Amino acid sequence: MKYSCECILVVLLWCSLSVGAATTTIHVAPNGNDGWSGALAAPNAGGTDGPKATMAGAREGVRARDKDSPGARVLIQQGEYFITEAITFGPEDGGTAGAPIVYEAAPGAEVVIHGGRRIEGWRSEGKFWVADIPEVASGDWRFSQLWVNGVRCTPARTPNGKNGAGDFPEGDELFYAAGPVMEKKADGDEATRSATAFRYRDGDLQDWDSLEEAIVVVYHSWETALMRPKAIDTEKQTIAFTGGTNWGFGRWRADQRYHIEHLFEGMDQPGEWFLNRQEGRLYYLPREGEDMTKANVVAPVAKQLLRIEGDPKAASFVEYLHFKGLKFHYTEFTVKPEGHSDSQAAHSVPAAVEAVGARDVVFEDCEVGHVGGYGLWFRSGSQDNKLLRSEIHDLGAGGVRIGEGGSPATAAEAVEGNVVDNCFIHDGGRVFRGGVGVWIGRSSYNRLSYNEICDFRYTGISVGWSWGYADTTAHHNIIEYNRVHHIALGQLSDTGGIYCLGDSPGTVIRNNVFHDVISNARVSGGWGIYFDEGSTGILAENNLVYNTRTGSLHQHYGKDNRVINNILAFSHNGQLVRSREEAHNSFFVQRNIVYFNNNQLLGSTWRNGNFQLDSNIYWSTAREVAESGGLDFSGRSLAEWQAEGHDRFSIVADPLFENAEAGDFRLKADSPAFRLGFEPFDYTRAGLYGDAEWVQKPRKITRPAFSPPPVAAPRRIAEDFEALPLDTTAPGAHSNEEGAGTVRVSDAVASSGKQSLKFSDAPGLKVSYNPHMYYVPALRYGTARGSFAIRFGEGAEFYHEWRDNRSPYQTGPSIWYRDGALTANGERIGEVPADTWVTISIACALGKEGDGTYDLTVTIPGEEPVERAGLSCGSPDFRSLDWFGFVSNSTEAVAVYVDDVHIATD
């Protein structure tokens, strides 16, 4: 069992305070009366006295108690206590260190502070069950969430989520926009992507009768926007919204992802519901086994459930309040008429339980669930508070927030010294997918320990809220012994098991387990430990990280972070990622074990040498490592890498785990890692502690057993663009567009069939290499063969190129068309007439078979093929194909068409 000395001290302190200090006892029961004294646990025989009826009534009783009785204990009996607005506590409601004010469930009682309302009177109408709600028809009540028998229901939507569950893990269907609407300002500036409209694909949207009620959920990289439709133009195939999104449409990909919910016409799956506000009618499609004549159907009324309202600016605080054994259920958060769009982390969404100016407030053995926003938030001026052994779940946004987005103006307004320990925080982002499991803003000296955090659509833990190197008030935060997993769920990107920002001296990330961080592969990355913009002075030690989308460790940019004695395993792509070159040292990465099953060790950029890697042990089980001549250190062998001064004492060797492929990362006694100074740590201590029922609660969620990421077979691409909607980008490729410079499917001409890919260049673009498009074949050995048909417009300047993933990248074949002639790495091939289809075929050996040369065949209809053997690659060291690109380099309006793209290896 896992107990820290500090945790035991917290429990002992709680026991001593809650038992010894409270001298006034006030009872609360569902059959009570706020006019009674609360001195009795049940009504007396004459019905003249008994318990209070509500927590608010008990609060008034505490205020009115004998002042010679400094403490108070409020015992709440079994039952549901319905409220329509938050219960509030002010400075006058607090206690002292020796005599706290305690609100707790009576022994054995299940106490629910209930912010919802039951909906009854259901009747069957065809395939639907329907209930009339007069308060909705009158405009007095509006809700956007629904629960049946305690299970969150799905707003009627299209397309449907996986198994009707209302989610879209990777592989599920979504709509994809045809592209952004380009808007030009009146002053004639360059057209920009609209933030209030986009173009949709043929057949996706209609002018449905209920569209005015609907919400369009738009998936950006690390956030979603919830947009309310304003108008739809079925001829131009555009949809406009009542407000804008922070990120515009198509910033990361032109084919913007989205789905529509609260749409009556999309109601076709069990568990879906729709509220017709004009009629005041609620429609529902029952799930299997639900009897609507008996079902407990709840819609939320209250926006929040409990508020602690101090005044930090006036140094007026709410102190020594304790809440124990209470459940806080059901809140509403309605999207405004202008829609909802946050920049990150669902930052503007409130919490069901909020504290401002709270000091030494404790929540223990509590539950916050079935809510529309965040669960709990320690806000401005909140210090030395504790959230202990509590469950925070079924969340519209995230779990717990500590601090504000800006630095405090005074010491009294600082948020610091708070503890979240031994809590189960899970199943968030159900409405606002950018919600974070635990978010620490500009707040310091906090501790997150022994928590289980899982099933969030964005990030598990976020620490810091400052971009760049400016001084900040987020430092000395301790993140230890947490188990954080199943993050992003294939929905959002640029995410981490833990995500850090800004200058953070004294912040420590230790003895945690981060796994299954699976971002959306079409957009951006998902990392175990993510040092984002300006992360500085952070120590990450003794962590186990495995099964991430794009890296166990990623530093966007930062300074002097230390990554020491970690196990970093099984990233699907690069294992260690460094995204920006800077003049100072990026980080120290030392005494780590890096274990994987591909040949992608170092991701992004490792050119300038301003990083310290040493005494690490690297091992890949991939066949391609042997086939390609050894582990790839950013395009170098280990010997070459070491000759540059990196990893001088590191080795490439099997670390001898007990069974890493089955998730057992214990080291055998004869592991070579010990010779490098690696210190073993017990990663099984991470997560919840206490009684068996509590510890096993997360294990009741059924999940597939761990298995390493599939070993990617050499990628084969065969694309003729025939099955694709017109005016869309190529699937499986990265398309970079700018203004009128686009890469879209067209039916203007084709080499075969009726469609091809059209590159439309334009004058006045910021960079000459836009528009461009590329595939990422990730071919490491064998002979790569690529071919395509191409049709150059008059005056075009265009090139096709192969590149590897080094920093800087090395080029292989490079075929250019300019001034009507074709060249191959500078060697003239011959003239090619404009507006004529030409087939280009390339063969290039990779890996240890490669010699820095390739063969080329150019075929023009009606002419003999032109063949060139042994052409020199751009770099004699070119050995892997990671970038297969097409670039329109013109500066005028010109079109080039590409068709029948094929990539394979022998």
Side-chain angles (χ1 to χ4, degrees):
M1 300 181 72
K2 302 167 294 188
Y3 298 96
S4 69
C5 292
E6 189 171 3
C7 295
I8 294 172
L9 185 60
V10 166
V11 174
L12 291 175
L13 178 62
W14 165 259
C15 293
S16 65
L17 293 179
S18 61
V19 174
T23 57
T24 296
T25 298
I26 296 176
H27 297 274
V28 179
N31 61 348
N33 186 319
D34 281 344
W36 291 340
S37 69
L40 303 176
N44 62 16
T48 58
D49 197 11
K52 298 284 188 180
T54 66
M55 274 183 69
R59 176 199 62 200
E60 297 307 307
V62 171
R63 290 176 179 176
R65 75 189 185 281
D66 185 345
K67 296 308 177 184
D68 291 332
S69 175
R73 184 185 189 202
V74 176
L75 275 179
I76 308 174
Q77 304 298 320
Q78 174 106 8
E80 294 177 317
Y81 295 83
F82 289 85
I83 60 175
T84 59
E85 60 183 14
I87 306 165
T88 61
F89 295 88
E92 68 274 27
D93 298 315
T96 65
I101 307 300
V102 181
Y103 291 79
E104 63 178 304
E110 181 176 352
V111 176
V112 179
I113 309 304
H114 198 302
R117 171 182 157 183
R118 290 198 177 92
I119 297 174
E120 300 172 331
W122 291 91
R123 64 184 181 277
S124 177
E125 290 188 3
K127 66 178 182 178
F128 302 123
W129 282 77
V130 182
D132 294 320
I133 310 175
E135 295 88 342
V136 171
S138 66
D140 295 324
W141 186 21
R142 181 171 183 172
F143 56 87
S144 60
Q145 296 163 90
L146 190 75
W147 288 265
V148 174
N149 297 333
V151 179
R152 184 184 290 265
C153 302
T154 302
R157 69 195 300 159
T158 185
N160 290 311
K162 186 175 183 179
N163 300 322
D167 265 333
F168 291 91
E170 186 180 25
D172 272 9
E173 184 181 2
L174 282 176
F175 286 143
Y176 295 89
V181 171
M182 303 305 294
E183 295 178 340
K184 199 166 187 177
K185 296 179 181 179
D187 58 11
D189 286 348
E190 180 185 352
T192 58
R193 298 182 184 90
S194 172
T196 58
F198 63 76
R199 294 183 295 117
Y200 63 87
R201 296 183 182 185
D202 186 36
D204 284 351
L205 305 187
Q206 302 174 34
D207 190 6
W208 291 293
D209 290 341
S210 70
L211 189 61
E212 183 180 347
E213 301 278 359
I215 291 176
V216 177
V217 180
V218 178
Y219 294 73
H220 299 300
S221 178
W222 56 82
E223 258 293 1
T224 53
L226 279 63
M227 314 295 292
R228 291 195 177 276
K230 178 181 180 180
I232 186 169
D233 188 324
T234 55
E235 291 187 3
K236 295 181 179 179
Q237 293 187 328
T238 61
I239 184 168
F241 303 101
T242 57
T245 167
N246 274 314
W247 297 111
F249 297 112
R251 171 172 174 160
W252 288 274
R253 290 183 64 103
D255 53 345
Q256 175 75 63
R257 300 175 297 150
Y258 70 100
H259 76 267
I260 306 177
E261 60 188 25
H262 296 284
L263 181 75
F264 182 69
E265 289 81 0
M267 192 167 172
D268 58 3
Q269 297 290 314
E272 289 189 334
W273 64 279
F274 176 78
L275 180 65
N276 187 313
R277 291 190 297 123
Q278 286 71 35
E279 297 177 356
R281 304 183 87 198
L282 176 60
Y283 295 82
Y284 182 65
L285 275 173
R287 290 172 284 224
E288 184 177 357
E290 290 177 341
D291 181 349
M292 297 308 295
T293 64
K294 301 177 181 178
N296 178 22
V297 182
V298 175
V301 177
K303 302 297 190 295
Q304 293 181 295
L305 300 174
L306 186 145
R307 290 185 57 85
I308 295 173
E309 298 183 341
D311 185 357
K313 292 181 179 179
S316 180
F317 306 107
V318 183
E319 300 178 293
Y320 296 103
L321 269 177
H322 292 179
F323 301 91
K324 185 175 182 180
L326 307 180
K327 296 185 177 183
F328 299 90
H329 285 181
Y330 300 110
T331 63
E332 168 67 7
F333 185 79
T334 305
V335 175
K336 296 178 181 179
E338 64 271 23
H340 184 98
S341 178
D342 280 313
S343 60
Q344 190 168 329
H347 186 258
S348 69
V349 178
V353 177
E354 286 193 3
V356 175
R359 300 291 173 94
D360 294 285
V361 171
V362 177
F363 293 87
E364 183 179 15
D365 283 323
C366 288
E367 179 182 321
V368 181
H370 314 313
V371 298
Y374 271 85
L376 183 146
W377 190 355
F378 292 124
R379 303 201 62 170
S380 173
S382 294
Q383 299 180 11
D384 301 314
N385 306 292
K386 296 177 177 65
L387 175 65
L388 308 174
R389 200 186 180 278
S390 294
E391 183 174 7
I392 316 294
H393 69 106
D394 189 15
L395 308 156
V400 177
R401 296 178 70 174
I402 300 174
E404 302 285 353
S407 294
T410 64
E413 296 170 77
V415 180
E416 59 185 37
N418 301 288
V419 173
V420 179
D421 180 78
N422 195 24
C423 291
F424 184 23
I425 304 170
H426 63 106
D427 196 17
R430 300 302 302 270
V431 179
F432 305 95
R433 287 167 171 77
V436 174
V438 179
W439 179 92
I440 299 177
R442 295 202 182 179
S443 177
S444 303
Y445 300 104
N446 303 289
R447 176 166 60 84
L448 311 181
S449 54
Y450 293 102
N451 302 293
E452 183 107 11
I453 301 169
C454 59
D455 298 299
F456 286 86
R457 280 84 182 149
Y458 170 47
T459 278
I461 298 172
S462 180
V463 183
W465 200 247
S466 176
W467 288 257
Y469 295 111
D471 290 340
T472 181
T473 52
H475 53 81
H476 291 88
N477 291 299
I478 305 299
I479 317 298
E480 61 182 0
Y481 292 101
N482 301 283
R483 183 175 293 273
V484 183
H485 57 96
H486 292 90
I487 300 301
L489 304 179
Q491 296 187 25
L492 295 181
S493 301
D494 205 58
T495 172
I498 185 167
Y499 171 91
C500 303
L501 276 170
D503 190 12
S504 305
T507 290
V508 177
I509 304 165
R510 64 189 174 209
N511 295 102
N512 303 282
V513 176
F514 303 104
H515 68 91
D516 289 274
V517 183
I518 306 300
S519 60
N520 186 275
R522 302 176 71 257
V523 184
S524 181
W527 301 278
I529 299 172
Y530 183 5
F531 297 140
D532 202 5
E533 302 189 34
S535 293
T536 296
I538 301 171
L539 170 63
E541 64 178 355
N542 298 349
N543 300 286
L544 169 61
V545 182
Y546 66 95
N547 199 32
T548 59
R549 170 74 76 191
T550 52
S552 293
L553 169 71
H554 174 214
Q555 180 160 307
H556 180 184
Y557 67 89
K559 182 166 59 176
D560 291 336
N561 297 302
R562 292 180 293 153
V563 182
I564 311 294
N565 211 85
N566 302 279
I567 298 173
L568 310 172
F570 291 127
S571 171
H572 299 203
N573 294 289
Q575 312 306 307
L576 310 177
V577 183
R578 176 179 183 256
S579 290
R580 182 178 294 186
E581 305 269 82
E582 295 183 277
H584 54 250
N585 179 58
S586 295
F587 43 45
F588 302 88
V589 179
Q590 298 167 334
R591 287 192 288 112
N592 301 282
I593 300 174
V594 185
Y595 188 92
F596 49 113
N597 64 349
N598 55 44
N599 195 14
Q600 300 177 55
L601 171 58
L602 303 178
S604 202
T605 180
W606 300 84
R607 284 183 303 217
N608 69 359
N610 289 337
F611 49 86
Q612 302 292 322
L613 275 65
D614 211 350
S615 298
N616 300 299
I617 180 168
Y618 304 106
W619 187 248
S620 174
T621 63
R623 170 194 167 194
E624 66 180 82
V625 172
E627 295 284 350
S628 61
L631 203 57
D632 186 331
F633 287 81
S634 192
R636 295 88 146 173
S637 67
L638 176 60
E640 293 168 335
W641 182 247
Q642 290 176 327
E644 296 178 11
H646 314 307
D647 277 308
R648 293 180 62 192
F649 297 101
S650 298
I651 61 174
V652 174
D654 187 342
L656 300 179
F657 289 121
E658 289 288 350
N659 190 353
E661 282 69 18
D664 186 346
F665 294 96
R666 294 174 300 156
L667 288 168
K668 295 178 180 178
D670 55 346
S671 169
F674 298 138
R675 298 197 300 271
L676 298 177
F678 185 86
E679 299 178 4
F681 55 92
D682 185 359
Y683 57 83
T684 65
R685 294 181 62 197
L688 306 180
Y689 63 86
D691 61 89
E693 182 178 359
W694 174 246
V695 171
Q696 290 301 316
K697 197 164 191 176
R699 313 298 176 257
K700 295 180 181 179
I701 300 174
T702 302
R703 305 184 192 277
F706 167 72
S707 61
V711 178
R715 187 176 180 192
R716 297 177 180 272
I717 295 171
E719 182 59 77
D720 61 7
F721 307 102
E722 293 301 309
L724 304 179
L726 293 173
D727 203 30
T728 61
T729 56
H734 299 261
S735 299
N736 293 68
E737 302 180 321
E738 179 188 337
T742 60
V743 185
R744 299 298 176 88
V745 175
S746 168
D747 62 358
V749 293
S751 176
S752 64
K754 297 181 180 181
Q755 297 184 172
S756 64
L757 193 66
K758 180 181 181 181
F759 290 74
S760 300
D761 217 326
L765 302 185
K766 291 180 180 179
V767 291
S768 62
Y769 53 77
N770 277 337
H772 70 274
M773 180 271 283
Y774 62 94
Y775 295 95
V776 183
L779 304 180
R780 301 284 190 273
Y781 56 90
T783 297
R785 301 186 183 277
S787 65
F788 54 92
I790 191 164
R791 187 178 191 268
F792 302 106
E794 187 71 41
E797 182 172 305
F798 195 95
Y799 65 93
H800 166 69
E801 192 163 83
W802 295 17
R803 300 173 184 172
D804 65 14
N805 66 349
R806 304 186 199 188
S807 299
Y809 62 80
Q810 307 294 303
T811 59
S814 183
I815 315 301
W816 280 73
Y817 179 84
R818 58 162 68 94
D819 299 327
L822 206 65
T823 60
N825 291 88
E827 181 175 328
R828 181 180 173 85
I829 303 301
E831 294 186 0
V832 174
D835 301 324
T836 300
W837 283 104
V838 180
T839 300
I840 295 176
S841 301
I842 300 169
C844 182
L846 304 176
K848 62 184 181 182
E849 299 174 0
D851 61 1
T853 67
Y854 66 98
D855 300 335
L856 173 70
T857 302
V858 179
T859 304
I860 301 175
E863 300 183 15
E864 287 294 319
V866 177
E867 297 181 348
R868 293 285 193 276
L871 292 169
S872 295
C873 291
S875 167
D877 297 325
F878 180 77
R879 295 294 186 275
S880 66
L881 176 54
D882 298 287
W883 196 92
F884 184 96
F886 299 88
V887 181
S888 183
N889 208 50
S890 303
T891 57
E892 302 297 332
V894 63
V896 174
Y897 296 87
V898 172
D899 205 353
D900 299 325
V901 178
H902 295 270
I903 307 171
T905 56
D906 291 348

